Amino acid sequence: MSNYRFKALEVTLTRQRKPLEIPTDKVSNYFGELTFNRSAMQEFLTREAYQKLIDVIEKSEIIDRKIADQIAAGMKSWAISKGATHYTHWFHPLTGATAEKHDAFIVPVEGGKAIENFQGGELIQQEPDASSFPSGGIRNTFEARGYTAWDPTSYAFIMERTLCIPTIFVSYTGEALDYKTPLLKSLSVLDKHATSVAKLFDRNVNKVFATLGWEQEYFLVDAALFKARPDLSLTGRTIFGHASAKDQQLSDHYFGTIHERVLNYMAELEYEAHRLGIPVKTRHNEVAPNQFELAPVYEETNISVDHNQLMMHLMEKIARKHDFQVLLHEKPFKGVNGSGKHNNWSIATDTGVNLLSPGKTTASNFRFLAFMVNILKAVESYSDVLRAHIASAGNDHRLGAHEAPPAIISVFIGKQLSATLDEIEKQTKKGKMDANGFNLNINIPKIPEILLDNTDRNRTSPFAFTGNKFEFRAVGSTANCASPMLALNTIVADQLKRFTSDVNELMKKNVRKDEAIFQVMKKYIKESKRIRFEGNNYGDEWIKEATKRKLNNIISTPQALKILVAKESIKLFEDNEVLSERELRARYEIQLENYTKKIQIESRVIGDLAKNHIIPIAIRYQNTLIENVKGLKDVLDQKTFVKLSRNQMQTIKEISEHVEEIKDQVAAMLEERKKANKIEDIEKQSLAYNQQVMPYLDLIRYHVDKLELMVDDELWPLPKYRELLFNK
Ligand code: ADP
Ligand code: MG
């Protein structure tokens, strides 16, 4: 008897280990060699074109056609020198993946020959016939007009012998159809308002940019085992599977020695990432078996987001070369930790100051605290907006599952900083100014050095201050970081704008600048108190406490997404010109539909597998038990038979009970799906999928997982958790 599971196990267990084939060069020798970075620009562009491109990157200047042609020519020569044959505009449509459509450089010329050609126009703008990308009704399919436009701030790069040009993707009428467009707008509005605030403290500041350092968690499973699990291939997660007798209870995987086969994968992944200029730095084993994490050094947010998208692509590609499948899903396995993507975020000035780094002087601490208080206030005002921007079907399994932050957004700032804010709140003294115009008697408390120490940490908070940056931990592992980042940038920008106006208001009444700043800070500290939580976010007490504080605990994606189109969100994004109401409504629709489809697929897959894989096997095994009992009856006297067949009979009955339950639940689920499919309102439909269809997944799973424990291992068709989680 052979089944897919055993074939897959055989392949896995007899795999030949491949030797690692990457150069042993110093990383600095090849770092960024596949990007059109500044040194490549210098080498391949005229001095005029180079200078112009730098101005475009640094000062957002507009490019004219002549220069565009020069840049395109230089980029083409560089790409061809690296072996590229094609070029593509590379963008982030709202499907969540990245998109490319390749065109060859060659154009035929007379005499049956061809030359390589690439014009400025092709660099700057393209019109992919992209009618199948989600647009949430903005772009009717018959119009089919969306275009991509070059984002010169993110270096072009080469992948698969193709020159990839990072672009935004917008509809013909100018609406964003991607993640990058609103991200860039949010960065620009944050720059504007953060610079105004930073200027209150230092007139030399002319630009503020957001920095992002993400930490990507993922699982690796052997490719053969992965292929033998249709649920993993079709939904990214296991919808069945009894827990392995041993999984993460001994915590022996976390930070453990990295297995050789995995290390080879990581080494090649890092090699390719480094060639693409992605500064990957950290790698380690995570909590769950076969779970890992990688993190680069932080970068400017737009670049970092591109790099994360590129990295997820590379992870899948390189995994295939190593006969692994990478699982980016937030919760591939029930009962063991899921995967997140911490977004470490800060803001820095063009004068080289990290605004979230406590300073050494009174003045720099004053500035630090002002930004800190504004961020607290921003999150307090817009916690639901943040929640909406991390919502996904996958992340629903993770948030609040006692391994990741709950769906309640709160902020952890640590004991020291809390004490500092409390102290400010209580101060009433007014006093004299020092030479720099700062009131010494306001007595900005000195921030203890210990803040920079990693000891004062709370790993359970969804949004935690970690010494010189915030760590947004509730982001899911498959997310495009642009989504949480554009939300965070916008709420902070909006808050800083209000801060400036509140301070100006007081100054108009002849309150001195520092006194005005201080008063507004005090007010914000009071107002934002409810968002601060230093305790254990995993505990049930916190849920009670949060209810008292009127903080929302939005546990499902359809409910979370609704905030996108709530009045406060529309006003926020329109006021700051990041997203229009029409764009928000489009995003809302797209994400709801995406959610509904995901649950629909999971529900179909569980139904199919239960009926075609599980039940027939359970019955086959039950038949052998029945044969066995019949045989016992033949050879034993009645009294002994009754005594010795008790447990067998019980198992036979239990199998039938589970099989019946599964059939009933699958049928009932199908009915609910039919009802849900008839609902035309997509909001109601997604709620029906969430509330009426989804619960059946767990009900069915319960019985299948029971059967897994009863049925002969020889017959069981799907690789088991112990096989998926422990094979390398
Ligand atoms: P962990 O959270 O796992 O303890 P670290 O605190 O060392 O790890 O850093 C995590 C991430 O934070 C890294 O990607 C790092 O580059 C990033 N990071 C550090 N400083 C900043 C900053 N100023 N802005 C954004 N990200 C930062
Ligand atoms: Mg972290």
Side-chain angles (χ1 to χ4, degrees):
M1 201 21 245
S2 78
N3 68 15
Y4 284 125
R5 171 169 158 239
F6 284 103
K7 283 184 194 151
L9 276 171
E10 196 178 329
V11 172
T12 305
L13 296 174
T14 56
R15 253 193 216 299
Q16 296 295 316
R17 297 288 146 84
K18 286 182 194 134
L20 185 61
E21 286 162 7
I22 58 167
T24 48
D25 265 22
K26 279 201 296 197
V27 176
S28 54
N29 284 351
Y30 55 80
F31 188 87
E33 69 178 4
L34 295 179
T35 61
F36 194 56
N37 58 17
R38 297 220 175 180
S39 63
M41 288 175 194
Q42 253 169 338
E43 193 182 333
F44 284 86
L45 296 179
T46 60
R47 183 179 289 183
E48 186 196 10
Y50 174 74
Q51 194 46 53
K52 185 70 196 175
L53 183 50
I54 297 302
D55 288 347
V56 169
I57 295 172
E58 287 178 356
K59 301 181 201 142
S60 313
E61 284 186 13
I62 307 286
I63 254 180
D64 66 41
R65 183 60 195 252
K66 192 177 121 242
I67 296 288
D69 281 339
Q70 283 188 28
I71 295 171
M75 223 186 240
K76 181 194 74 181
S77 308
W78 168 75
I80 290 172
S81 80
K82 298 278 179 188
T85 55
H86 287 66
Y87 65 92
T88 180
H89 277 195
W90 181 82
F91 55 103
H92 311 186
L94 295 167
T95 51
T98 50
E100 345 170 333
K101 175 184 153 232
H102 299 189
D103 283 302
F105 283 123
I106 56 146
V107 282
V109 291
E110 256 176 63
K113 296 204 142 221
I115 56 162
E116 277 91 3
N117 190 28
F118 184 53
Q119 302 282 334
E122 291 157 324
L123 165 66
I124 291 182
Q125 189 173 320
Q126 275 195 14
E127 218 176 290
D129 175 22
S131 46
S132 292
F133 288 115
S135 72
I138 281 181
R139 186 170 36 86
N140 291 328
T141 339
F142 57 84
E143 284 174 4
R145 309 267 288 213
Y147 65 88
T148 51
W150 180 33
D151 167 19
T153 59
S154 182
Y155 297 143
F157 57 91
I158 291 172
M159 214 168 42
E160 325 283 8
R161 299 187 67 191
T162 299
L163 169 66
C164 300
I165 300 153
T167 56
I168 57 168
F169 180 40
V170 289
S171 78
Y172 202 63
T173 43
E175 275 108 353
L177 298 172
D178 67 347
Y179 284 104
K180 196 191 252 287
T181 308
L183 175 69
L184 290 172
K185 289 181 175 174
S186 75
L187 288 164
S188 146
V189 72
L190 177 64
D191 171 19
K192 182 172 157 196
H193 298 303
T195 301
S196 300
V197 174
K199 268 184 188 295
L200 291 173
F201 300 90
D202 176 1
R203 270 184 226 112
N204 296 321
V205 174
N206 286 309
K207 191 171 171 59
V208 171
F209 50 94
T211 50
L212 165 65
W214 41 264
E215 302 164 57
Q216 177 79 52
E217 292 181 331
Y218 62 99
F219 281 85
L220 285 176
V221 295
D222 188 275
L225 295 172
F226 171 81
K227 285 184 191 132
R229 290 283 314 215
D231 50 351
L232 267 185
S233 335
L234 297 176
T235 71
R237 73 181 184 102
T238 53
I239 47 185
F240 300 137
H242 196 281
S244 167
K246 169 186 188 291
D247 46 50
Q248 66 187 40
Q249 46 302 54
L250 301 177
S251 295
D252 49 355
H253 191 253
Y254 192 51
F255 280 37
T257 313
I258 303 174
H259 190 278
E260 186 196 338
R261 189 176 160 207
V262 174
L263 201 54
N264 278 357
Y265 163 71
M266 289 176 168
E268 185 166 347
L269 179 61
E270 285 168 9
Y271 169 67
E272 292 299 339
H274 288 152
R275 295 177 78 203
L276 285 163
I278 308 173
V280 181
K281 193 164 170 80
T282 308
R283 60 186 186 203
H284 62 79
N285 286 358
E286 259 302 329
V287 174
N290 274 359
Q291 190 189 27
F292 308 93
E293 177 183 301
L294 72 88
V297 178
Y298 69 93
E299 298 174 279
E300 187 283 322
T301 299
N302 177 39
I303 311 276
S304 184
V305 168
D306 276 357
H307 280 167
N308 182 244
Q309 288 296 111
L310 195 50
M311 197 68 202
M312 289 195 284
H313 173 82
L314 277 183
M315 288 166 81
E316 290 182 332
K317 185 178 117 179
I318 308 288
R320 279 192 291 275
K321 274 180 80 176
H322 290 256
D323 300 308
F324 276 130
Q325 176 72 37
V326 68
L327 307 180
L328 291 172
H329 193 284
E330 282 77 9
K331 191 73 181 176
F333 302 101
K334 188 180 167 185
V336 298
N337 275 16
S339 301
K341 177 151 53 198
H342 296 175
N343 277 206
N344 296 273
W345 174 92
S346 188
I347 39 181
T349 67
D350 58 347
T351 53
V353 172
N354 176 355
L355 293 168
L356 297 185
S357 202
K360 292 217 162 32
T361 62
T362 309
S364 55
N365 268 340
F366 195 19
R367 178 186 57 205
F368 161 73
L369 289 167
F371 277 96
M372 174 58 67
V373 168
N374 270 288
I375 292 168
L376 287 171
K377 180 77 179 111
V379 179
E380 193 271 336
S381 306
Y382 294 115
S383 55
D384 291 349
V385 170
L386 282 184
R387 171 67 185 93
H389 283 83
I390 51 163
S392 72
N395 217 13
D396 280 358
H397 292 285
R398 190 178 149 259
L399 298 181
H402 292 258
E403 45 148 304
I408 309 162
I409 302 288
S410 66
V411 187
F412 168 87
I413 55 173
K415 257 203 230 96
Q416 319 284 338
L417 199 51
S418 293
T420 307
L421 296 188
D422 293 345
E423 205 178 309
I424 293 178
E425 194 189 335
K426 279 185 246 129
Q427 275 188 40
T428 49
K429 265 197 283 177
K430 294 191 178 178
K432 290 191 209 98
M433 295 213 285
D434 74 352
N436 297 318
F438 286 104
N439 186 335
L440 293 176
N441 289 4
I442 277 178
N443 198 9
I444 298 302
K446 189 162 165 15
I447 312 289
E449 294 283 323
I450 193 163
L451 202 61
L452 282 170
D453 195 3
N454 277 347
T455 46
D456 189 19
R457 281 208 167 188
N458 176 337
R459 297 248 164 224
T460 67
S461 175
F463 196 79
F465 183 66
T466 51
N468 56 3
K469 62 187 185 290
F470 275 98
E471 189 166 334
F472 193 7
R473 302 208 180 98
V475 184
S477 48
T478 54
N480 183 324
C481 300
S483 180
M485 288 297 101
L486 76 88
L488 184 55
N489 294 337
T490 309
I491 66 170
V492 172
D494 188 74
Q495 178 51 49
L496 291 169
K497 176 170 65 181
R498 206 167 319 153
F499 178 72
T500 306
S501 109
D502 287 350
V503 169
N504 284 341
E505 220 33 56
L506 286 175
M507 283 167 67
K508 269 191 225 148
K509 294 179 194 153
N510 288 332
V511 179
R512 262 201 333 262
K513 182 169 81 177
D514 55 342
E515 184 62 38
I517 294 172
F518 199 70
Q519 280 186 26
V520 177
M521 277 170 64
K522 271 173 72 168
K523 176 169 163 274
Y524 289 176
I525 290 172
K526 281 203 190 80
E527 289 171 358
S528 63
K529 245 186 189 161
R530 67 171 184 146
I531 204 73
R532 275 158 55 190
F533 182 64
E534 303 290 305
N536 174 15
N537 292 66
Y538 294 179
D540 290 333
E541 297 82 58
W542 170 227
I543 299 190
K544 282 190 213 126
E545 167 71 18
T547 315
K548 269 196 224 143
R549 296 187 188 190
K550 297 204 165 56
L551 293 174
N552 287 328
N553 184 12
I554 305 168
I555 50 172
S556 85
T557 291
Q559 287 162 297
L561 290 175
K562 211 166 158 53
I563 296 146
L564 290 179
V565 292
K567 249 204 219 132
E568 50 152 349
S569 152
I570 293 174
K571 181 162 171 22
L572 167 76
F573 287 107
E574 287 214 318
D575 281 358
N576 291 289
E577 292 175 21
V578 173
L579 285 163
S580 68
E581 177 168 359
R582 194 163 134 87
E583 289 170 322
L584 282 163
R585 292 202 180 279
R587 263 150 228 266
Y588 177 54
E589 264 182 44
I590 291 167
Q591 291 192 59
L592 274 185
E593 265 177 23
N594 182 280
Y595 175 84
T596 299
K597 282 177 192 158
K598 284 208 164 136
I599 307 299
Q600 187 181 52
I601 292 169
E602 288 188 352
S603 156
R604 286 177 179 163
V605 170
I606 202 170
D608 291 353
L609 287 184
K611 282 199 298 202
N612 302 332
H613 283 60
I614 307 299
I615 292 177
I617 293 299
I619 290 175
R620 192 181 305 168
Y621 176 60
Q622 190 189 37
N623 281 339
T624 44
L625 296 183
I626 291 171
E627 282 305 308
N628 172 263
V629 172
K630 278 187 189 158
L632 288 179
K633 196 173 169 117
D634 288 346
V635 297
L636 300 173
D637 62 81
Q638 180 61 15
K639 205 170 145 216
T640 323
F641 169 72
V642 170
K643 196 172 154 212
L644 295 184
S645 63
R646 229 175 14 153
N647 281 308
Q648 292 286 65
M649 294 294 282
Q650 180 61 22
T651 308
I652 291 168
K653 260 172 56 195
E654 276 176 29
I655 289 178
S656 279
E657 279 161 12
H658 290 305
V659 166
E660 281 305 296
E661 277 293 329
I662 291 171
K663 284 188 170 168
D664 286 347
Q665 308 285 13
V666 169
M669 177 176 70
L670 183 65
E671 280 314 305
E672 288 300 337
R673 229 163 55 214
K674 279 187 188 158
K675 273 194 241 162
N677 291 344
K678 285 206 189 95
I679 302 174
E680 278 181 16
D681 180 305
I682 56 167
E683 190 176 306
K684 292 198 180 115
Q685 188 179 47
S686 71
L687 281 173
Y689 264 96
N690 175 245
Q691 286 159 12
Q692 312 303 331
V693 178
M694 246 206 6
Y696 283 102
L697 295 179
D698 281 339
L699 291 176
I700 297 166
R701 178 184 193 135
Y702 172 82
H703 295 287
V704 173
D705 290 355
K706 287 279 178 216
L707 285 174
E708 184 183 321
L709 285 187
M710 304 170 91
V711 170
D712 183 357
D713 186 66
E714 280 274 322
L715 296 176
W716 196 254
L718 304 173
K720 296 184 172 182
Y721 268 29
R722 61 167 185 262
E723 291 151 358
L724 292 165
L725 286 170
F726 287 97
N727 276 303
K728 290 194 192 63

